[in-house]
């Protein structure tokens, strides 16, 4: 079974590191072994297993997992508003709030910030509506956003991939007004590059939600939450009205998951380091509130 390491650039240090993947052997077996195809269909094309996992992580019996995950994934609990032993279940810990000072951000209206903690890949100018994730196959904005994709043809796109160690609440990257939103049912494939390399169109097949936000400075952007295996729910806490930069938009319950932000053509310029790393096929580890792009 081929093992191609997942390499990520740490934005704060500039160093490249190999990502530690929870359950890596299992994910590779499910997606890279022909004999596992029936299992892949049961696990990822049906929500049953993910719902059962979600129910367990919502129960008090899951509290015992918190301390081990904090240790194994080196999670900095000093950023959280409550200590690890105060949560009633694993999902309460998983969607923990952070202290406001833990995620500073620019209040300049022209600055667009990262909507989440995670590994960022940017596409400064789409070839029509196509983008290719790390180790993945070509994917389509039209497939991801049926009915509203035309305005984003030739635009720009950022993918923020969250891992279990990350803060799992996501925030608006810029101020504006919500003009439309939709939930789209679908599969729950893993969003890990291992799975992307095996061929499933996670952005066109997975359960997802999108929200259109109209801004004063750079037209409208579309904020997309993509569910993944083990995600108990995509919970959007702001769905209407005016929003400010870094207002909480919602959160993912347990599981790897992804946020995608799509921009209209000629409206923004991505941060130079994100664009340079992405051009080399490298994701960049960022935190919510850090610079993502600038309005043109």
């Amino acid at each position: 079974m081929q093992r191609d390491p997942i390499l990520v650039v740490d934005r704060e240090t500039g160093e490249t590191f190999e990502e530690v993947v929870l359950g890596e052997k299992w994910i590779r077996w499910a997606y890279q072994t022909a004999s596992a195809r029936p299992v892949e269909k049961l696990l990822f094309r049906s929500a049953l297993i993910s719902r059962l996992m979600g129910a367990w992580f919502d129960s008090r019996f899951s509290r015992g997992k918190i301390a081990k995950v904090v240790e194994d994934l080196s999670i900095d609990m000093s950023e959280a508003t409550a200590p690890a032993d105060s949560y009633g279940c694993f999902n309460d810990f998983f969607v923990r709030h952070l202290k406001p000072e833990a995620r500073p951000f620019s209040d300049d209206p022209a600055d667009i910030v990262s909507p989440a903690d995670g590994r960022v890949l940017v596409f400064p100018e789409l070839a029509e509506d196509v983008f290719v994730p790390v180790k993945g196959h070509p994917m389509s904005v039209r497939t991801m956003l049926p009915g509203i994709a035309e305005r984003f043809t030739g635009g720009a796109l950022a993918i923020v991939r969250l891992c279990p160690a990350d803060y799992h609440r996501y925030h608006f990257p810029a101020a504006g007004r919500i003009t439309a939103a939709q939930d789209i049912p679908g599969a729950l494939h893993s969003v890990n590059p291992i799975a992307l390399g095996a061929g499933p169109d996670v952005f066109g097949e997975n359960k997802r939600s999108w929200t259109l936000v109209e801004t004063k400075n750079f037209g409208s952007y579309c904020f997309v939450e993509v569910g993944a295996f083990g995600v108990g729910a995509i919970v959007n806490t702001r769905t209407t009205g005016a929003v400010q930069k870094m207002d909480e938009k919602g959160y993912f319950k347990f599981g790897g998951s992804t946020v995608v932000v799509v921009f209209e053509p000629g409206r923004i310029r991505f941060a130079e380091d994100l664009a340079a790393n992405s051009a080399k096929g490298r994701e960049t580890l960022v935190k919510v509130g850090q610079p993502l792009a600038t309005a043109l």
Side-chain angles (χ1 to χ4, degrees):
M1 189 179 302
Q2 180 183 357
R3 186 186 184 282
D4 193 5
I6 301 168
L7 301 178
V8 180
V9 179
D10 186 317
R11 190 177 208 178
E12 295 183 348
T13 66
E15 297 179 355
T16 299
F17 66 93
E18 180 178 346
E19 182 176 313
V20 176
V21 181
L22 289 181
E24 178 177 356
K25 291 182 179 179
W26 181 80
I27 294 173
R28 290 188 184 279
W29 174 78
Y31 281 103
Q32 297 179 347
T33 306
S35 62
R37 292 296 167 79
V39 177
E40 181 262 338
K41 290 181 179 180
L42 172 66
L43 293 179
F44 306 119
R45 298 183 188 275
S46 166
L48 176 61
I49 302 300
S50 288
R51 285 175 180 167
L52 291 174
M53 290 175 64
W56 187 81
F57 284 119
D58 276 333
S59 75
R60 61 185 176 84
F61 302 107
S62 63
R63 288 188 73 234
K65 187 176 178 66
I66 296 173
K68 180 171 175 52
V69 167
V70 170
E71 180 180 357
D72 289 350
L73 299 181
S74 301
I75 295 173
D76 182 3
M77 289 302 296
S78 69
E79 295 182 334
T81 57
D85 60 4
S86 68
Y87 298 100
C89 67
F90 187 83
N91 259 333
D92 286 348
F93 154 74
F94 194 73
V95 299
R96 61 194 175 276
H97 287 279
L98 299 186
K99 299 170 184 174
E101 60 269 23
R103 295 294 183 271
F105 64 97
S106 166
D107 59 5
D108 186 333
D111 292 339
I112 302 160
V113 301
S114 175
D117 282 17
R119 293 124 197 85
V120 173
L121 190 71
V122 302
F123 299 84
E125 185 176 356
L126 299 175
E128 292 294 322
D129 68 319
V130 175
F131 59 101
V132 185
V134 172
K135 303 183 188 301
H137 298 269
M139 301 192 186
S140 166
V141 175
R142 286 189 176 90
T143 304
M144 180 174 65
L145 301 175
I148 64 164
E150 294 304 321
R151 70 174 68 191
F152 300 110
T153 299
L157 181 149
I159 301 171
V160 187
R161 180 174 63 86
L162 288 73
C163 288
D166 295 324
Y167 166 62
H168 265 67
R169 291 180 182 266
Y170 44 85
H171 299 250
F172 290 96
R177 179 172 293 277
I178 296 173
T179 58
Q182 183 180 0
D183 296 329
I184 301 175
L188 290 170
H189 288 289
S190 169
V191 295
N192 189 279
I194 297 170
L196 297 182
D201 180 358
V202 300
F203 300 99
E205 294 183 21
N206 275 23
K207 171 183 176 180
R208 57 203 183 278
S209 299
W210 59 256
T211 304
L212 276 177
V213 182
E214 183 180 358
T215 76
K216 292 182 179 179
N217 297 315
F218 56 93
S220 293
Y221 67 89
C222 190
F223 192 119
V224 190
E225 300 91 26
V226 182
F229 179 70
V231 176
I234 298 170
V235 181
N236 278 314
T237 53
R238 288 291 296 276
T239 57
T240 60
V243 299
Q244 298 302 313
K245 183 193 300 184
M246 283 293 283
D247 280 354
E248 181 186 299
K249 186 179 188 298
Y251 58 87
F252 294 107
K253 290 192 176 182
F254 179 74
S257 27
T258 292
V259 165
V260 182
V261 186
V262 194
F263 301 94
E264 295 173 342
R267 295 288 194 166
I268 63 99
R269 178 186 298 110
F270 285 120
E272 291 183 3
D273 62 329
L274 301 181
N277 292 337
S278 296
K280 299 174 185 175
R282 292 278 187 272
E283 296 170 303
T284 306
L285 181 65
V286 304
K287 293 180 179 178
V288 63
Q290 289 184 341
L292 178 74
T294 304
L296 294 176

